[in-house]
Amino acid sequence: MNSEAVFHFLGVCVVLSPALLLALFGVTSLIDRPIGERLMARATQTMVMIGLFSSIAILGLMLTLDIRYVPIELGNWVVIPEQHFHFHLKFIFDRLSIPFCILSFILCGTIGAFASRYLHRESGYNRFFVCYAIFLLGMIVSSLAGTIETLFFGWELVGLSSALLVAFFHERLNPVRNGLRIWSIYRISDAAFLIAALMLHHLTGAGDFDGLMGTGSWPDGHATISEQHALLVGLLLLVAAAGKSALVPFSGWLPRAMEGPTPSSAVFYGSLSVHLGAYLLLRVSPILELSLTLRLAVIFLGLISAIFGTLVARVQTDIKSALAFASLTQVGIIVVEIGCGFRYIALIHIIGHACLRTLQLLRAPTLLHDYHTLENAIGSHLSQKPSLWVRVMPRRYRIRLYRFELERGYLDILCNQLIVHPFLSLFRMCDGLERRWTNFLSEGESRKSDQIKPHTESLEEYL
Amino acid sequence: MISELHLPWMELSILILLFGAIWIRMTHDRDTAYRRCLLICGLVFLTTVCEWIDFESLNTFEARDHFNIFDWVFNNDFFIIDELSAPLLPLAALLYLLTVLSTLKTKGHRFPFSSALLSEAILLATLSCKEPWGIIALLSVATILPYLEIKAHHLSTRVYVLHMGLFIALLVVGGALSHFGEAGDSISLTAGALLTTAALLRSGIIPLHCWMTDLFEKVTFGTALLFVTPMTGAYAMVRLVFPIAPDWALQGIALVSLTTAVYAAGMALVQREARRFFCYLFLSHSSLVLVGLEMATPLGLTGGLCVWISVGISLAGFALTFRSIEARIGRISLVKYHGLYDHTPTLAALFLVTGLASIGFPGTVGFIGTELLIEGAIEVYPLVGTAVVIAAALNSIAILQAYFRVFTGARHTATISLRARTSEHVAILILVALILGGGLYPQPGVTSRQHAAMELIRLRGAVLNDSTHPSDPNIGVTDLTETSQPLMKLHEDQ
């Protein structure tokens, strides 16, 4: 058995383990035969372990054999030779994907173990783990994607699972509304991603990162497209990354995402999902090299997001939101590092920050208990010294800044006022016009649905 | 010389349905009618599948039935299937079978089983027909059954009658005019324009779409679903308009379709009732199919044909899920949250899977088709590709919004179990299996659609250039002259 076959086998194991987990949970849910909690936890543990050890084995082999780039070719998913169209299934193990893949397995494994106890006897236990499996598969596919279409595949899975998990406590309105909000923002960023992917496909004739970045594995590759094209595609990818990583102006969804259960908050918004945008920028960093304008845009967006995050985090009244904005600050700094070309620093920053934030979020519920215990023990609130800002800044500006922070930069309000409300008003007006038109044609009320009433048939007929 | 199928599958399907409709008309017990209807639909589905297998085994672009009962009557090759229509026939038959299968007892006395079989016969005949006057006649006849149902419900038929009357008039006048025109003259251009308008009207292109929402309001969900989902408007477009329309006309149609796709996606977001929501969602998707069809590039047309199949499968499943929910709680308001998840978790999962498949979510049957469609659009006009992506994004938001409204946001209390019945479950699961199967193994479907697309483009190129270059895949794309030939004359020549 040569090394290539071993790599192929291990690579397939890495991708297949989360896929099998999703197949198991998904099929049993669809046929209305959900499996028990213990079996779900065991299956999750087993598959994560298989994936993790396979990826560690690949890393070990690569270090031993001094190989920096291992492509796992799974052939063409779809090919139309006459039109030079192919959807190539390819996964790559290199210095960027392996750390991110191992990180995903470790953190997802931690969360899986935590959630199996945290959600014990919760009515949505099965649903949580279905979404968890979708997320894990999405993360692994995104991490290892060798083509931009494959990356999009994983990207979409992560988006769907995130929205559904935010709305996990779905008998309440707020989580559901926030889930929809997040989904909407994700769809905008996904649209930008899809257009970028297809533009890239159109420009390079293929979606492979090799074709995009010329020779050399990450981070030494050099993109082979023109500066104008790099700017256009890069800006689209920046919008996609901003949506996924909650950079300004899409930051409004990050605190909303905290409506979900603690395990998903930790894995999505503290550690993995929120870094996916930064990962995308790292993966396509050779494009950034081609355009100074693009690099400046990346740095500017990262800087604004970091400042915004650090300001808003200071006035949050709940621990999860404070951690969410603290995450945003770090992600903003990571994006600045990517814009400046410090790729390894950005990668290390992602890994460190992801681990720290996951543990912080998992610890958050019990931290409050400890805090109150401490206050009870000393018999008063813990003393807080005024910060340098409070001492230096005039009161008038402090109040204004406080209001700005409290309203989270008015981003949600601006989004609603400038985009959502005009858009919905326009279509509601069209709906009204259509009603008038059909009423006119019908010579009377044309819409039966305006007076919806429950039907009167006997429900007992079901029995 | 056209190849022949080994058995007269098409005629057999139609005859079974016609006799079945009479048989059920004479059945007064609704449970017996349901069972018989199910039997007939199942039988017809099998014959259409056999027809497809038989056709594939011939390895040809088109074929006709072996015995020609209908051809003796019409003295012509009335029923011919080709690579375009071969998979559409089993798809249409499956749609009818699953709609009947998922009809609950509560809806049994409202759902017209006999009319459904009759409309299936007309639909299968339409999809098996390439004769222009045959298509015109069948499309016209198909409009009668929904009219009768609206009438039976004692509701205003004016919106439907005005639109469908115009549709039939445009078809007939367009068809008649094309006999008198010469290639490229004003009469043949007028004929083409009339036929195009008719096909667009039947597809529900704005501003001629109000009949569709009105239909969903006034007939049973099943009837409305079966009338619009097979997309016979798109079929008419491919058969009557695509071969003869000049490039500029196709681009115009694509632009109108694209406008409809975005408009309908936006309208789906503000609907207050589930049927209307579904109608707009369907309109948006069917318009995207038209965008692909009218791009007249191999990639775009392949994408359009793929999306045609994927939308047919996924939105049928989506609608059947809606219908199942409606059977439990009546007409579904999308203004309030119903919180049905705990009562119908399986339906919720199926709703989500079918809805996401319709927008081309990765791993579902629509993914590759949508990719091809957008890539084909970007090839021609980058902005068109962008608009397609925007429409898909709006649709996806609308779908999740509907999911949340129907299944979450509240606690629903019910005195009895509302869980999905086995028949409903099986019906939607079959579609989900097709959605996921087609999504995970898309190559055969894409290859089949690509062959059909290439053949359609080759025929179009042959018509417009009056010469064929089968080996040139770009024929009909790059060197088309801006002429159009009268449709009927073209058919006579063929």
Side-chain angles (χ1 to χ4, degrees):
Chain A
M1 206 178 199
N2 61 4
S3 61
E4 204 172 306
V6 173
F7 275 127
H8 190 86
F9 172 75
L10 291 170
V12 169
C13 281
V14 172
V15 179
L16 210 60
S17 55
L20 286 174
L21 189 69
L22 176 59
L24 175 67
F25 293 172
V27 170
T28 51
S29 299
L30 277 175
I31 61 169
D32 206 12
R33 296 282 180 276
I35 53 180
E37 283 189 16
R38 185 175 292 184
L39 186 56
M40 280 192 118
R42 282 277 163 80
T44 304
Q45 191 179 29
T46 308
M47 290 305 173
V48 169
M49 285 298 178
I50 291 170
L52 176 63
F53 287 129
S54 301
S55 42
I56 289 171
I58 289 177
L59 175 63
L61 277 172
M62 284 171 77
L63 291 171
T64 309
L65 301 171
D66 196 24
I67 299 171
R68 292 182 170 187
Y69 179 82
V70 176
I72 305 292
E73 300 274 0
L74 297 180
N76 283 319
W77 198 24
V78 171
V79 60
I80 305 177
E82 295 91 335
Q83 308 311 320
H84 311 293
F85 178 90
H86 65 274
F87 194 110
H88 196 41
L89 271 183
K90 182 181 169 186
F91 297 99
I92 51 174
F93 290 85
D94 61 7
R95 281 169 288 183
L96 175 62
S97 65
I98 285 210
F100 212 77
C101 175
I102 291 174
L103 177 76
S104 300
F105 274 123
I106 288 173
L107 293 182
C108 283
T110 307
I111 296 300
F114 180 86
S116 65
R117 289 158 182 82
Y118 187 87
L119 296 172
H120 177 54
R121 295 202 171 179
E122 179 79 46
S123 59
Y125 187 96
N126 181 275
R127 190 159 40 91
F128 175 88
F129 273 94
V130 171
C131 294
Y132 168 92
I134 295 172
F135 177 80
L136 178 61
L137 179 63
M139 277 308 301
I140 298 305
V141 168
S142 302
S143 307
L144 301 173
T147 66
I148 199 146
E149 294 97 338
T150 316
L151 180 55
F152 180 71
F153 193 120
W155 184 272
E156 288 262 42
L157 292 175
V158 170
L160 175 68
S161 56
S162 301
L164 291 177
L165 275 164
V166 169
F168 179 77
F169 297 113
H170 60 202
E171 64 282 353
R172 290 191 284 117
L173 267 182
N174 259 353
V176 168
R177 283 180 177 154
N178 290 334
L180 185 63
R181 183 84 173 205
I182 286 161
W183 175 250
S184 305
I185 289 168
Y186 274 3
R187 294 312 293 177
I188 293 164
S189 73
D190 290 351
F193 193 135
L194 185 57
I195 295 165
L198 291 166
M199 285 275 183
L200 220 50
H201 210 282
H202 194 56
L203 296 172
T204 62
D208 295 32
F209 289 122
D210 308 357
L212 173 66
M213 296 166 193
T215 52
S217 59
W218 189 89
D220 306 320
H222 295 286
T224 50
I225 56 176
S226 70
E227 188 182 336
Q228 288 82 5
H229 288 153
L231 180 63
L232 174 68
V233 172
L235 285 175
L236 284 167
L237 290 173
L238 185 59
V239 171
K244 212 61 157 190
S245 286
L247 302 176
V248 171
F250 301 113
S251 308
W253 70 255
L254 197 55
R256 290 169 181 270
M258 296 301 158
E259 288 279 4
T262 295
S264 67
S265 305
V267 77
F268 295 131
Y269 318 112
S271 56
L272 293 172
S273 176
V274 81
H275 290 121
L276 207 53
Y279 176 82
L280 172 69
L281 291 177
L282 271 178
R283 177 54 78 193
V284 299
S285 51
I287 290 183
L288 305 183
E289 293 296 314
L290 289 178
S291 170
L292 178 66
T293 315
L294 183 59
R295 279 208 306 279
L296 289 173
V298 171
I299 292 168
F300 176 74
L301 195 64
L303 206 57
I304 290 286
S305 302
I307 294 167
F308 176 78
T310 195
L311 286 174
V312 177
R314 287 162 200 281
V315 301
Q316 296 308 305
T317 51
D318 69 284
I319 192 162
K320 273 188 169 185
S321 296
L323 287 174
F325 281 109
S327 285
L328 176 60
T329 306
Q330 294 302 316
V331 173
I333 294 167
I334 290 166
V335 170
V336 171
E337 287 160 1
I338 295 167
C340 294
F342 306 136
R343 297 174 197 176
Y344 280 120
I345 291 174
L347 180 60
I348 293 162
H349 195 159
I350 286 174
I351 294 165
H353 176 241
C355 294
L356 169 78
R357 205 62 77 185
T358 301
L359 295 175
Q360 276 187 330
L361 278 156
L362 293 182
R363 170 86 171 95
T366 54
L367 180 72
L368 291 174
H369 285 288
D370 295 349
Y371 196 82
H372 292 147
T373 308
L374 207 59
E375 286 186 333
N376 289 338
I378 63 170
S380 67
H381 288 296
L382 297 176
S383 62
Q384 286 187 335
K385 286 181 183 174
S387 67
L388 178 70
W389 287 106
V390 174
R391 291 199 298 269
V392 171
M393 195 182 273
R395 182 181 159 77
R396 194 160 47 120
Y397 293 116
R398 276 211 321 267
I399 290 169
R400 278 187 191 176
L401 185 63
Y402 179 74
R403 196 172 292 161
F404 173 85
E405 291 165 350
L406 205 61
E407 292 288 350
R408 292 169 180 173
Y410 305 103
L411 284 179
D412 279 359
I413 297 164
L414 281 171
C415 176
N416 287 342
Q417 295 293 336
L418 298 178
I419 299 167
V420 179
H421 291 165
F423 180 86
L424 293 178
S425 300
L426 172 69
F427 282 102
R428 284 192 183 120
M429 187 189 76
C430 293
D431 195 43
L433 290 172
E434 282 192 18
R435 179 188 276 103
R436 283 189 212 172
W437 173 239
T438 50
N439 286 354
F440 168 74
L441 291 179
S442 301
E443 294 180 333
E445 279 300 318
S446 61
R447 288 198 187 180
K448 205 176 161 184
S449 59
D450 282 348
Q451 305 92 31
I452 299 171
K453 292 187 186 75
H455 66 162
T456 53
E457 281 114 356
S458 165
L459 284 173
E460 274 64 32
E461 288 189 69
Y462 289 123
L463 299 174
Chain B
M1 182 65 192
I2 298 173
S3 307
E4 285 191 345
L5 299 171
H6 296 91
L7 280 171
W9 299 114
M10 288 176 278
E11 291 172 9
L12 197 62
S13 309
I14 292 159
L15 288 172
I16 289 170
L17 287 164
L18 291 175
F19 286 120
I22 296 164
W23 188 33
I24 286 169
R25 178 67 70 186
M26 296 186 299
T27 309
H28 298 294
D29 176 52
R30 70 178 185 186
D31 289 348
T32 311
Y34 167 79
R35 281 195 298 274
R36 287 177 181 177
C37 190
L38 197 58
L39 175 74
I40 291 157
C41 286
L43 204 58
V44 168
F45 174 63
L46 281 177
T47 56
T48 52
V49 170
C50 291
E51 163 267 318
W52 190 19
I53 294 166
D54 193 350
F55 175 77
E56 288 296 324
S57 71
L58 294 174
N59 213 2
T60 178
F61 174 67
E62 56 183 20
R64 61 177 188 173
D65 274 351
H66 185 54
F67 309 110
N68 295 297
I69 306 163
F70 282 86
D71 295 353
W72 296 336
V73 178
F74 294 102
N75 196 24
N76 202 341
D77 280 334
F78 196 77
F79 290 132
I80 298 175
I81 57 161
D82 58 12
E83 283 195 298
L84 169 72
S85 57
L88 295 178
L89 290 164
L91 179 67
L94 178 69
L95 178 63
Y96 274 83
L97 170 64
L98 298 182
T99 305
V100 172
L101 178 63
S102 62
T103 302
L104 288 180
K105 286 180 181 179
T106 45
K107 296 283 178 185
H109 66 281
R110 291 161 62 123
F111 184 72
F113 291 113
S114 176
S115 296
L117 292 185
L118 201 55
S119 72
E120 185 178 3
I122 295 165
L123 174 64
L124 293 186
T126 307
L127 295 176
S128 309
C129 186
K130 287 178 80 173
E131 166 77 41
W133 276 112
I135 293 172
I136 289 169
L138 288 163
L139 285 172
S140 304
V141 170
T143 61
I144 296 169
L145 295 171
Y147 164 78
L148 293 175
E149 194 174 326
I150 300 173
K151 200 85 181 149
H153 291 175
H154 307 294
L155 295 166
S156 170
T157 57
R158 285 174 56 88
V159 175
Y160 183 79
V161 167
L162 284 169
H163 282 88
M164 287 302 113
L166 180 62
F167 165 67
I168 294 166
L170 288 167
L171 273 182
V172 173
V173 174
L177 274 181
S178 62
H179 278 294
F180 303 109
E182 291 297 327
D185 71 358
S186 59
I187 295 176
S188 73
L189 281 175
T190 307
L194 292 175
L195 289 171
T196 302
T197 310
L200 290 176
L201 195 157
R202 182 64 179 79
S203 300
I205 295 294
I206 58 165
L208 303 167
H209 64 288
C210 288
W211 68 268
M212 208 184 266
T213 50
D214 191 70
L215 183 75
F216 271 89
E217 292 266 5
K218 289 172 179 171
V219 296
T220 60
F221 204 160
T223 303
L225 166 73
L226 295 173
F227 188 66
V228 302
T229 312
M231 289 189 253
T232 44
Y235 186 79
M237 190 69 80
V238 171
R239 290 292 186 222
L240 304 178
V241 178
F242 183 81
I244 59 164
D247 271 5
W248 56 265
L250 288 185
Q251 283 157 11
I253 296 166
L255 203 64
V256 173
S257 306
L258 192 67
T259 309
T260 303
V262 177
Y263 173 82
M267 288 296 277
L269 277 167
V270 298
Q271 291 311 303
R272 302 160 61 86
E273 191 264 340
R275 286 194 189 188
R276 292 184 68 84
F277 161 77
F278 173 78
C279 180
Y280 280 111
L281 194 67
F282 176 81
L283 261 179
S284 181
H285 284 92
S286 60
S287 303
L288 287 180
V289 172
L290 285 179
V291 171
L293 297 183
E294 306 313 329
M295 255 183 290
T297 63
L299 217 52
L301 189 52
T302 305
L305 295 179
C306 286
V307 172
W308 188 338
I309 301 279
S310 70
V311 164
I313 294 170
S314 54
L315 281 186
F318 190 72
L320 290 179
T321 314
F322 251 141
R323 190 165 169 253
S324 296
I325 299 291
E326 204 179 81
R328 284 155 174 75
I329 62 169
R331 296 288 282 265
I332 308 162
S333 163
L334 293 180
V335 178
K336 62 174 224 172
Y337 289 86
H338 296 274
L340 287 169
Y341 186 94
D342 291 335
H343 297 277
T344 57
T346 317
L347 284 179
L350 297 173
F351 184 96
L352 207 52
V353 171
T354 50
L356 290 171
S358 72
I359 56 153
F361 196 78
T364 63
V365 69
F367 180 51
I368 296 294
T370 307
E371 277 244 339
L372 284 166
L373 181 65
I374 296 167
E375 183 139 349
I378 280 177
E379 257 186 6
V380 183
Y381 298 115
L383 278 179
V384 169
T386 306
V388 171
V389 173
I390 289 167
L394 291 175
N395 282 330
S396 64
I397 295 168
I399 284 166
L400 207 72
Q401 178 178 268
Y403 169 81
F404 284 145
R405 290 279 159 92
V406 175
F407 294 103
T408 69
R411 280 191 188 279
H412 186 86
T413 47
T415 52
I416 57 162
S417 167
L418 298 179
R419 293 186 85 83
R421 296 287 165 269
T422 308
S423 59
E424 295 171 305
H425 206 154
V426 168
I428 301 166
L429 267 180
I430 289 169
L431 289 170
V432 168
L434 287 173
I435 284 166
L436 297 177
L440 296 173
Y441 187 53
Q443 185 65 57
V446 171
T447 304
S448 144
R449 298 302 78 204
Q450 192 248 346
H451 284 171
M454 295 306 292
E455 201 59 33
L456 286 169
I457 287 172
R458 194 182 61 77
L459 288 174
R460 174 177 153 75
V463 170
L464 294 184
N465 289 333
D466 212 10
S467 65
T468 55
H469 304 281
S471 59
D472 182 4
N474 292 322
I475 186 134
V477 182
T478 51
D479 52 358
L480 290 177
T481 53
E482 292 198 357
T483 58
S484 71
Q485 254 193 10
L487 175 72
M488 305 301 164
K489 286 198 171 162
L490 155 70
H491 198 268
E492 284 159 14
D493 296 343
Q494 288 180 333

